[in-house]
Amino acid sequence: MDRLIAKISSGVGRKRKKSSAPILVRLSSKRNGDMCVLSDEDDSSDEDYVPNDELEDVTQKTKVTKKKRKVEVKQSVTQADLSVHANAWSNYIPAEVLLKIFQLAVASESSKLKLLLRLSTVCKQWRSVSTDPSLWHSLDLAFGWIKSQEMVLKNLLDRGYLSQLRHLCLSECKKVNSKLIQFVVDKFPGLKSLNIQGCDKVRPDSLKYIARGFEGLEALNISNMNSCGELSAGICDILTQHCATLEKVEVAGCLNTRIHKAVFTSIKSLKQLTLLDISHAVLPDHSTLLQMFEAISSSLEVLRMSQCSTAQAVTDDLESETYFPNLIEFTAPKTKLTLTIFLRNSPNLKYLDLRGWNLAHMQCLFDGLSLPKLQSLNLCDVSLVNGIEMDLSMLVENLEELDISWLKNCSDSAFNCILTSLLGSTGEKLKVLHCSGTAIVMSQLRALLRNFPNLETLNIESCRQLPRGIKRKYEGKFEVTALRKKCALSA
């Protein structure tokens, strides 16, 4: 018993909490369970006593020293590797090659400014290459991701690497005013393209400054600037000064207050015009309009006349032998005006937009009209007339996109005629089909899915004849395939 008590009391290096009460130890014995009382004495006076705190400190210092050594070795190796890689990067990839890579990246990127700003933060060499003027031929500062304040825009435009800037977009920048336009004209006299769509604070006198300041303007977009006053005089000055170079003119929403006959007369002088957008305009008399079309017919590729109106009552359609050999895209106005001459004399037409038309004025579409290259046809919101059926069999052979949403006054027989003409075609090229708001039923939907195996987008929203759970827009082949399987299971 004495030996056992001695062993317990001589616990070297063990950490025990000091307590004023004595320690009770129960000794298990086969004979009897005697209880011994041990005094709470400190064993620090022993010769072989080592405090636990000092032992822990020694082991921690050893571990920290080893870690420091490993970290120092790793840091030295990392710095050496970085210096070697940096030298290798500058040696094996010259600035000329890096510039070519940046040019290819910028050419394939829609937001060039964001890409170049990110590239400039990589290293000094990338920053130097990213500020090469050859990369900054175009600049898009359209409203949405940058503050459209006058001082911010001026700071962005007042850069040395913008010396070769040729295309500038300030669309929907509400803070753009006449002072900033004058700064742009003085800073970039060689600008070829300017987009100030929706910049309502630009005064009409700034258009005259644009006409005289730029050397050879090729594209101008001043759409939706009708709130800044009378624009016809400034537009005429621009068209007159740059008649030899202008190729694209977009003045949608600027000619909707009254007849701007002078503007349509000035358009006749644009011999290289390829794109003309006069949407929401009040059209002049027939003779002025025909003269304008005849003057620009040989070069015109895109014509947009959406929501145009006429100042005089139209009883008969325009008759003209004007030929449009290069016309690719045509957006027709809601009036009967000008439709026949464009559809009959445009063999290369690919995109036709007839939204909001009345079918009574569209018999030329179905009386033997052939558009062999037509790829996109928009008949959304078309108003049908009783007794007239829409046969699209002559137009859908090469179609890739078709929109027959929200047809007005469409009877069951008229809609069945439309679907029959669609199902009668091969349907191999059709990829996008919009049928929202129509009276399509489940059996017709299955037939469409079978007949058009290459569909990538299908819109059947608000189709009341279809069951719940499938009336939505399907985008991508995966979703269309899933719908096709679901319709097959429910058959």
Side-chain angles (χ1 to χ4, degrees):
M1 182 67 67
D2 296 337
R3 293 179 182 178
L4 186 58
I5 294 174
K7 287 183 180 180
I8 295 174
S9 60
S10 61
V12 179
R14 294 185 181 178
K15 189 174 181 181
R16 295 195 299 267
K17 293 184 179 180
K18 293 184 178 181
S19 177
S20 59
I23 301 175
L24 299 179
V25 179
R26 184 177 184 83
L27 301 176
S28 61
S29 177
K30 293 182 180 179
R31 297 180 180 178
N32 51 8
D34 300 334
M35 185 70 67
C36 301
V37 180
L38 302 179
S39 61
D40 188 16
E41 295 180 355
D42 190 6
D43 55 357
S44 60
S45 59
D46 297 343
E47 295 180 356
D48 56 349
Y49 173 76
V50 179
N52 282 342
D53 297 338
E54 294 183 5
L55 287 174
E56 293 178 358
D57 293 341
V58 171
T59 54
Q60 288 180 358
K61 287 181 180 178
T62 306
K63 292 180 180 179
V64 171
T65 305
K66 291 181 179 180
K67 287 183 180 180
K68 283 184 177 180
R69 289 177 181 175
K70 291 180 180 180
V71 171
E72 288 177 357
V73 172
K74 287 183 179 180
Q75 287 180 352
S76 61
V77 173
T78 305
Q79 291 176 358
D81 291 342
L82 286 176
S83 61
V84 171
H85 289 313
N87 294 330
W89 179 261
S90 59
N91 291 334
Y92 294 108
I93 302 184
E96 295 79 6
V97 177
L98 196 60
L99 177 60
K100 184 63 177 178
I101 295 174
F102 284 7
Q103 289 174 350
L104 295 175
V106 166
S108 61
E109 183 70 21
S110 58
S111 182
K112 300 178 181 179
L113 179 59
K114 290 183 180 180
L115 176 62
L116 290 174
L117 290 178
R118 289 172 181 171
L119 293 176
S120 64
T121 60
V122 175
C123 62
K124 291 183 179 180
Q125 186 188 23
W126 283 40
R127 181 177 180 82
S128 176
V129 175
S130 63
T131 56
D132 190 277
S134 62
L135 296 172
W136 296 88
H137 286 167
S138 62
L139 183 60
D140 188 357
L141 299 177
F143 177 76
W145 69 278
I146 192 171
K147 291 184 178 180
S148 60
Q149 297 178 358
E150 181 182 356
M151 292 304 299
V152 175
L153 296 175
K154 274 189 177 182
N155 291 333
L156 287 172
L157 294 172
D158 195 11
R159 303 297 174 95
Y161 50 80
L162 296 178
S163 58
Q164 299 182 14
L165 187 65
R166 295 294 178 266
H167 308 280
L168 178 61
C169 178
L170 298 172
S171 176
E172 302 297 335
C173 292
K174 301 300 182 182
K175 299 296 182 180
V176 173
N177 51 24
S178 299
K179 292 182 179 180
L180 186 62
I181 294 299
Q182 293 180 5
F183 173 79
V184 170
V185 174
D186 296 335
K187 181 73 176 179
F188 311 108
L191 204 66
K192 300 298 181 183
S193 173
L194 179 63
N195 186 345
I196 52 175
Q197 176 184 356
C199 300
D200 297 334
K201 292 188 177 182
V202 178
R203 297 193 302 269
D205 55 352
S206 298
L207 299 182
K208 298 182 179 180
Y209 200 76
I210 291 174
R212 300 183 182 93
F214 293 125
E215 297 173 355
L217 201 61
E218 297 178 358
L220 177 66
N221 188 347
I222 56 174
S223 301
N224 302 323
M225 291 176 55
N226 53 341
S227 62
C228 60
E230 181 58 42
L231 299 174
S232 59
I235 295 175
C236 290
D237 288 344
I238 295 175
L239 300 181
T240 304
Q241 291 289 334
H242 302 275
C243 61
T245 58
L246 268 176
E247 298 178 1
K248 299 179 181 180
V249 176
E250 299 177 66
V251 290
C254 298
L255 309 174
N256 58 350
T257 54
R258 61 184 181 84
I259 302 175
H260 299 268
K261 186 175 181 180
V263 176
F264 292 96
T265 305
S266 301
I267 293 176
K268 294 190 299 182
S269 61
L270 306 178
K271 302 301 181 181
Q272 298 184 12
L273 190 64
T274 60
L275 186 149
L276 178 61
D277 189 352
I278 53 174
S279 301
H280 302 274
V282 179
L283 300 177
D285 57 278
H286 293 185
S287 60
T288 303
L289 202 60
L290 281 177
Q291 291 175 8
M292 182 190 73
F293 288 146
E294 291 174 359
I296 62 177
S297 61
S298 60
S299 60
L300 195 61
E301 297 179 2
V302 179
L303 177 60
R304 300 177 185 140
M305 302 175 64
S306 176
Q307 304 293 329
C308 285
S309 60
T310 55
Q312 56 184 1
V314 179
T315 55
D316 296 321
D317 201 355
L318 289 176
E319 295 183 0
S320 175
E321 298 298 329
T322 305
Y323 189 68
F324 300 89
N326 299 316
L327 190 64
I328 298 176
E329 178 184 343
F330 176 56
T331 302
K334 283 189 177 181
T335 62
K336 186 182 177 182
L337 192 63
T338 73
L339 184 59
T340 303
I341 62 174
F342 281 100
L343 299 184
R344 294 290 183 184
N345 303 326
S346 305
N348 295 318
L349 196 63
K350 294 183 179 180
Y351 308 98
L352 180 59
D353 191 347
L354 299 175
R355 277 175 291 184
W357 260 78
N358 193 323
L359 190 59
H361 300 157
M362 295 166 58
Q363 285 305 299
C364 58
L365 276 176
F366 317 110
D367 294 342
L369 178 65
S370 177
L371 296 173
K373 297 184 179 181
L374 191 65
Q375 297 178 2
S376 177
L377 177 61
N378 193 333
L379 298 175
C380 178
D381 203 27
V382 166
S383 178
L384 304 182
V385 180
N386 294 331
I388 298 180
E389 295 182 347
M390 190 160 46
D391 186 5
L392 303 178
S393 58
M394 298 295 294
L395 303 174
V396 298
E397 290 297 330
N398 297 316
L399 275 183
E400 296 181 3
E401 182 177 358
L402 176 62
D403 192 345
I404 54 173
S405 303
W406 302 105
L407 298 176
K408 295 180 179 179
N409 303 323
C410 184
S411 61
D412 292 340
S413 60
F415 187 71
N416 290 333
C417 178
I418 296 173
L419 291 182
T420 302
S421 62
L422 286 177
L423 296 174
S425 62
T426 57
E428 296 180 355
K429 297 182 179 180
L430 191 65
K431 296 181 180 179
V432 180
L433 179 61
H434 296 275
C435 300
S436 58
T438 59
I440 187 172
V441 296
M442 198 65 184
S443 59
Q444 295 171 338
L445 178 60
R446 294 193 192 98
L448 287 176
L449 291 173
R450 287 195 303 267
N451 196 63
F452 303 122
N454 297 322
L455 271 181
E456 297 179 0
T457 301
L458 177 62
N459 191 352
I460 51 175
E461 296 176 341
S462 303
C463 296
R464 296 187 176 183
Q465 303 298 328
L466 295 178
R468 293 181 178 180
I470 65 171
K471 295 183 287 186
R472 65 180 184 88
K473 186 176 182 180
Y474 297 86
E475 294 182 323
K477 288 186 176 181
F478 179 79
E479 292 188 0
V480 175
T481 303
L483 174 64
R484 190 178 283 111
K485 292 180 180 179
K486 187 174 183 179
C487 293
L489 291 175
S490 62

